[in-house]
Amino acid sequence: MADDGRLLWTPSADTRERARITGFLRWLEGTRGLRFSDYHDLWRWSVGNLEDFWASVWDFGQLPVSRPYDRVLSGREMPGCRWFEGAELNYVDLALRNPGEAVAASAWSETRGPQEVTFAELADQVGAAAAGLARLGVGPGDRVGAYLPNIPETLVAFLATASLGAIWSSCAPEFGTRSVLDRFRQIEPKVLLAVDGYRYGGVDRDRTAVVGEIAGGLPGLAATVTVPYLHADAAPAVPGGWRWADLLAEDAPVQTRPVPFDHPLWILYSSGTTGLPKAIVHGHGGMVLEHLKYLSLHADLGPGDRFFWFTTTGWMMWNFLISGLLVGATLVLYDGSPAHPDPEALWAMAEQAGITYFGTSAPFLLAQRRAGTEPGRHRDLSRIRAVGSTGSPLPAEGFDWVYDHVGSDLLLGSVSGGTDMCTAFVASCPLLPVHAGESQCRALGAAVDVYDDQARPVTGEIGELVVTEPMPCMPVGLWDDEDGKRYRDSYFSTFPGVWRHGDWARITERETVVITGRSDSTLNRGGVRMGTAEFYRVVEGLEGVVDSLVIDTTGAEESGRLVLFLVLAPDRSLDDELRRQVVR
């Protein structure tokens, strides 16, 4: 197994010169008189001078706003500070400000053939959909629930919802009735948008009965709109409901409603160990500013790029993906199995769609390694200049697979953040080298640190990952948490005034970051703390192991045991040799 920390890639002088963050550095020097010796010097300025940094992102991004802000930051306490008070804007104004004939989205699917939508076509559909939602009574603050896959109609519906100042929330159509109701009942949507079915792995999956159950379980629902996807001519799934064509029946221009900076944009869900999933509310301004910063400066995306992330609408990465519109990139949307008709399905799409940024999860890359795929050997993947990985830590052997079998000259960014902030604050950067098993840096404006048990910052040691200064993308709050108690208990109870994220991490001497696992799933054996990710990177690297789960039964038994569950490949058995490898 490869050792961590080996240098795998260094950006060329040309890569550094063309990077958008280089343009930002020059802009800072020309407009602010600021010069920095390297990225980490810039990062220290960004977290030590929050108001100056975020004001510079605002100005550099040339945000279209209806009313300017009075002040960047009111207070520094967490939670409780206020960002950009007085400002009024709308996410959609930035998302749709690009040239009309440029391609906004390239959609690929098992269920239907490829299609492309220009910004002009997208704007036309958003205007019509917003007018349809308004006819159904949707207005500022109302919730729109979506049971939709990653297709253009979902993008249209989200932008239409946001343009009205209403609040978006989505679940993927593979979710069952109970999972959807556990989420949507909390927020009581006025309108439900739902798909009639989809195809996954070559198998049709009709969802009409589930849609009926969901609609019947939502009190106060004014209407259900069915998107015909699996059955193009199907009747509405819910009697008396609307079809997608009814929603878009009347042409109308996009008319965005200016809203305050912290006006709710969408609601995401994070499952805890007990109770219903937390309904996390994010604001228009926080998402615009954070995603504009990250996608432009860290992901190096802009007009001409084709931005892909393998995600469903039930994961925050869908929200992150669609924000590629904010920087003028073309979104590449995919709905279907990543392994149909063969394990290289997504790489075939990447070649055909001309993807320049290929985003996915660590489990996908490790599965590709185990399957022995070599997509770069017989496909033209030369347009891919960056691969993003998240969802769990990517071990060193995952890095090696990408550089050996996708491309030797690309930026592989293993990044980490989460649903709670809907971004990554352990980030990639086109100015920095890539080391095996490590994330390149802490993101600009994100005061990420690692604390030991006494809340002291440590370097070179594993501890709790924390954020010590406020960020605009921190949640507006949790839904139905008027006094903010659940919000404080979720993130600020362990270290008062400091965001505890729930990850074990280590900051290296060169300021890279290694995530070792969730701190709420840490194994403590004889006083030695071990992140579960440390087990998985070893065990799942063994030939024949498809998946694994490790648990500690301490608490359930007087003398707890470590129990390791394995999912093996069909042609592999748990023989003595595999047992020896696992134990070793």
Side-chain angles (χ1 to χ4, degrees):
M1 182 172 296
D3 293 332
D4 288 5
R6 290 172 297 109
L7 179 64
L8 298 178
W9 179 81
T10 301
S12 66
D14 184 57
T15 295
R16 294 171 59 89
E17 176 65 24
R18 289 186 290 104
R20 289 174 176 82
I21 192 171
T22 299
F24 178 62
L25 286 166
R26 289 176 177 152
W27 180 87
L28 284 173
E29 183 176 0
T31 63
R32 306 290 204 268
L34 297 169
R35 298 189 69 180
F36 301 97
S37 59
D38 59 16
Y39 172 83
H40 300 298
D41 189 25
L42 172 64
W43 176 80
R44 282 185 281 274
W45 171 77
S46 76
V47 298
N49 301 269
L50 290 179
E51 293 192 52
D52 291 341
F53 170 69
W54 288 108
S56 72
V57 174
W58 181 288
D59 293 342
F60 184 71
Q62 299 180 321
L63 269 64
V65 298
S66 302
R67 187 183 185 282
Y69 59 84
D70 299 322
R71 181 175 178 180
V72 175
L73 181 60
S74 302
R76 295 286 285 266
E77 67 279 1
M78 293 191 291
C81 64
R82 299 288 299 276
W83 287 96
F84 293 95
E85 285 187 288
E88 291 186 353
L89 73 168
N90 191 292
Y91 179 104
V92 178
D93 286 328
L94 189 58
L96 295 181
R97 70 175 176 177
N98 297 288
E101 295 312 309
V103 176
S106 175
W108 299 71
S109 164
E110 279 192 47
T111 311
R112 61 189 178 199
Q115 61 182 126
E116 291 194 339
V117 181
T118 67
F119 276 98
E121 292 167 339
L122 181 61
D124 288 344
Q125 293 177 44
V126 169
L133 289 173
R135 292 196 302 276
L136 289 172
V138 175
D142 289 329
R143 279 76 63 205
V144 173
Y147 188 59
L148 297 172
N150 186 14
I151 57 177
E153 289 91 335
T154 310
L155 178 63
V156 169
F158 159 68
L159 293 171
T161 299
S163 73
L164 297 170
I167 308 169
W168 173 264
S169 191
S170 62
C171 290
E174 62 266 24
F175 283 23
T177 304
R178 175 65 182 273
S179 294
V180 178
L181 291 178
D182 280 350
R183 290 159 171 77
F184 285 175
R185 274 178 177 161
Q186 296 184 62
I187 66 170
E188 299 180 328
K190 177 170 282 188
V191 170
L192 173 68
L193 296 140
V195 75
D196 61 353
Y198 60 95
R199 184 172 295 126
Y200 186 91
V203 178
D204 288 352
R205 301 165 194 266
D206 189 278
R207 304 307 274 170
T208 53
V210 175
V211 172
E213 292 169 357
I214 294 169
L218 293 174
L221 192 67
T224 299
V225 179
T226 304
V227 175
Y229 183 45
L230 183 61
H231 309 293
D233 299 318
V238 178
W242 283 27
R243 293 187 60 179
W244 180 251
D246 301 326
L247 192 74
L248 274 65
E250 298 181 12
D251 293 339
V254 177
Q255 296 180 318
T256 57
R257 183 183 184 91
V259 294
F261 187 87
D262 59 359
H263 183 83
L265 173 64
W266 54 50
I267 297 172
L268 304 179
Y269 303 92
S270 178
S271 297
T273 54
T274 60
L276 295 174
K278 296 195 301 288
I280 303 168
V281 185
H282 292 110
H284 273 248
M287 289 297 94
V288 163
L289 210 58
E290 171 60 30
H291 289 174
L292 188 67
K293 175 212 76 177
Y294 193 97
L295 294 172
S296 176
L297 305 182
H298 288 283
D300 197 28
L301 288 166
D305 277 307
R306 293 211 157 199
F307 178 37
F308 167 73
W309 212 291
F310 177 58
T311 181
T312 73
T313 57
W315 189 21
M316 53 121 326
M317 292 308 299
W318 182 82
N319 304 71
F320 187 80
L321 166 66
I322 62 173
S323 284
L325 295 177
L326 303 180
V327 296
T330 296
L331 311 180
V332 179
L333 311 177
Y334 179 75
D335 175 53
S337 168
H340 182 81
D342 59 63
E344 293 191 13
L346 293 186
W347 303 111
M349 181 194 68
E351 180 181 31
Q352 294 175 59
I355 288 171
T356 59
Y357 191 110
F358 185 100
T360 185
S361 66
F364 171 82
L365 294 175
L366 294 175
Q368 292 282 295
R369 176 179 177 270
R370 287 194 296 269
T373 59
E374 298 179 305
R377 181 180 177 185
H378 52 273
R379 299 188 186 282
D380 180 7
L381 302 180
S382 59
R383 292 197 63 190
I384 298 178
R385 55 181 177 76
V387 171
S389 173
T390 192
S392 61
L394 183 67
E397 56 269 25
F399 280 71
D400 287 335
W401 181 85
V402 170
Y403 282 109
D404 289 343
H405 300 299
V406 178
S408 59
D409 186 20
L410 55 78
L411 190 164
L412 171 55
S414 178
V415 304
S416 183
T419 300
D420 314 84
M421 292 198 204
C422 197
T423 192
F425 39 75
V426 173
S428 62
C429 176
L431 303 182
L432 297 173
V434 174
H435 295 266
E438 300 178 359
S439 298
Q440 289 174 287
C441 60
R442 292 169 280 186
L444 296 175
V448 172
D449 217 329
V450 169
Y451 277 5
D452 65 13
D453 290 340
Q454 283 73 49
R456 297 174 302 200
V458 293
T459 299
E461 299 177 24
I462 294 175
E464 287 271 7
L465 188 148
V466 297
V467 181
T468 60
E469 296 286 352
M471 296 177 67
C473 61
M474 286 178 175
V476 173
L478 303 183
W479 191 261
D480 198 23
D481 181 34
E482 297 301 325
D483 61 2
K485 182 179 185 304
R486 288 172 54 227
Y487 182 35
R488 291 190 299 273
D489 289 347
S490 296
Y491 306 108
F492 301 101
S493 58
T494 303
F495 306 112
V498 172
W499 175 286
R500 172 187 173 270
H501 194 63
D503 282 338
W504 289 126
R506 173 171 56 88
I507 298 174
T508 72
E509 297 293 340
R510 55 175 168 263
E511 298 195 61
T512 60
V513 182
V514 178
I515 306 292
T516 62
R518 293 292 296 173
S519 61
D520 53 12
S521 62
T522 298
L523 309 174
N524 191 326
R525 305 294 295 177
V528 179
R529 297 184 309 191
M530 299 169 283
T532 52
E534 297 176 90
F535 280 81
Y536 301 143
R537 71 175 288 268
V538 174
V539 174
E540 293 176 18
L542 298 175
E543 184 178 352
V545 177
V546 176
D547 204 352
S548 63
L549 175 69
V550 62
I551 66 170
D552 184 354
T553 64
T554 302
E557 298 178 321
E558 185 174 344
S559 57
R561 298 172 296 165
L562 278 183
V563 181
L564 178 65
F565 297 88
L566 301 178
V567 178
L568 302 180
D571 60 347
R572 188 64 194 265
S573 62
L574 187 57
D575 53 30
D576 290 342
E577 176 58 27
L578 182 57
R579 288 177 188 273
R580 282 194 294 270
Q581 291 177 355
V582 168
V583 172
R584 184 171 67 244

